[in-house]
Amino acid sequence: MADWKQLYDAIVEGEADVAKSVVEDALSQGVQPKDLLDNYMVPAMDEVGQRFERNEYFVPELLISARAMKRALEILKPMLAQTGAEPIGKVAIGTVKGDLHDIGKNLVAAMLEGGGFDVFDLGVDVGPERFIEAVQAHGVSIVALSALLTTTMPSMEKTIHALRDAGLRDRVKVMVGGAPVTQKFADQIGADGYSENAGKAVAVARLFVHA
Ligand code: B12
């Protein structure tokens, strides 16, 4: 089998056009989207994060790598979301207030769609009131919160409190995730579920609807 390390390199180096064409090439040769994601794309973003920590990369490099990741992800998204069945539940997902990271959130949203959920993606920097609106407007039963910054993790707890104050807490299950989030933190803030990655997020959401 061909080695798709070029995809890893393209994301680390921020070469969006190369990333796009390698993904297209790989798919045309029958490589599974999940293989590309798990073995090349997500590890590439990890490497980018490590370079940032070592002061080898700065915000501009993060941005161009993120753009390459997004370009590659855009091609995979419809494939991850392929499903013909009736939606098994409605999810509102967003990156919490103050936080602009959306690659992981987009991945979770795409996997949930692929897993048969109807997904309302509220975007980034989403305050509690917007989650509440989505629950009320769309009859959402799962709220999924993403945070990548330790400084925005408290927004998750605020959102849970706001749902409670709006009288909606019993109507929804809250799932949290993002690199700094742990099961322990999820328990502390009273979330109903946590997962460390997009694949397991679907399993957690399925448990909610079958509970
Ligand atoms: C790309 C990136 C950026 C890009 C974001 C572009 C974008 N559109 O998303 C840009 C350049 C904008 C950026 C900005 C900043 N960043 Co930044 N960024 C990253 C980086 C390198 C990668 C994040 C990423 O996309 N990972 C890949 C995805 C696939 O992984 P993921 O997000 O973790 O998601 C997976 C899981 O966590 C989980 N998951 C995610 N969400 C959810 C939700 C639910 C419900 C569930 C169940 C699961 C789940 O599933 C996902 C898929 O498996 C990380 C380093 C890292 N390794 O995390 C730093 C990092 C998160 N950034 C950091 C920092 C400091 C910043 C800035 C403050 C920098 C600055 N000085 O300006 C700003 C903050 C801007 C803001 N207000 O949000 C720090 C955070 C440190 C901390 N402890 O808080 C990190 C950790 C880098 C570092 N090592 O220091 N960043």
Side-chain angles (χ1 to χ4, degrees):
M1 193 185 103
D3 180 2
W4 302 104
K5 186 170 178 296
Q6 283 178 75
L7 176 57
Y8 175 94
D9 292 337
I11 292 172
V12 172
E13 302 303 330
E15 291 166 338
D17 292 340
V18 178
K20 177 176 179 272
S21 67
V22 179
V23 167
E24 284 168 349
D25 203 14
L27 292 175
S28 72
Q29 294 189 39
V31 179
Q32 291 301 311
K34 201 169 173 323
D35 183 11
L36 295 175
L37 262 176
D38 292 349
N39 298 325
Y40 303 99
M41 294 165 62
V42 172
M45 288 311 291
D46 282 344
E47 172 61 21
V48 170
Q50 282 162 24
R51 290 189 186 190
F52 184 73
E53 272 174 44
R54 295 197 297 262
N55 289 326
E56 293 167 17
Y57 269 18
F58 300 94
V59 172
E61 285 87 2
L62 290 193
L63 273 173
I64 58 165
S65 287
R67 194 176 57 199
M69 174 78 172
K70 280 188 156 185
R71 187 80 62 86
L73 202 56
E74 267 162 27
I75 308 170
L76 299 184
K77 204 177 155 189
M79 310 183 76
L80 296 172
Q82 254 169 27
T83 167
E86 278 291 295
I88 58 174
K90 290 184 184 176
V91 183
I93 188 167
T95 304
V96 295
K97 184 131 195 98
D99 203 320
L100 304 176
H101 295 85
D102 67 355
I103 295 172
K105 183 267 295 167
N106 293 346
L107 207 48
V108 174
M111 294 294 282
L112 285 169
E113 276 178 21
F117 288 87
D118 216 351
V119 177
F120 298 89
D121 187 344
L122 309 182
V124 296
D125 192 20
V126 182
E129 63 294 339
R130 295 205 22 234
F131 284 104
I132 288 171
E133 272 166 33
V135 173
Q136 288 169 335
H138 306 297
V140 158
S141 60
I142 300 174
V143 172
L145 308 174
S146 179
L148 263 287
L149 297 171
T150 44
T151 50
T152 57
M153 288 164 71
S155 298
M156 293 180 147
E157 187 170 22
K158 282 190 192 137
T159 305
I160 293 175
H161 286 171
L163 285 165
R164 184 195 60 201
D165 295 345
L168 298 171
R169 187 64 187 93
D170 295 340
R171 265 175 44 188
V172 294
K173 297 281 188 193
V174 179
M175 171 162 70
V176 293
V181 178
T182 58
Q183 180 68 58
K184 189 167 170 232
F185 176 76
D187 294 340
Q188 269 169 16
I189 64 170
D192 303 298
Y194 157 79
S195 129
E196 70 211 29
N197 62 45
K200 287 189 195 155
V202 178
V204 172
R206 287 217 169 109
L207 279 180
F208 287 159
V209 289
H210 293 125

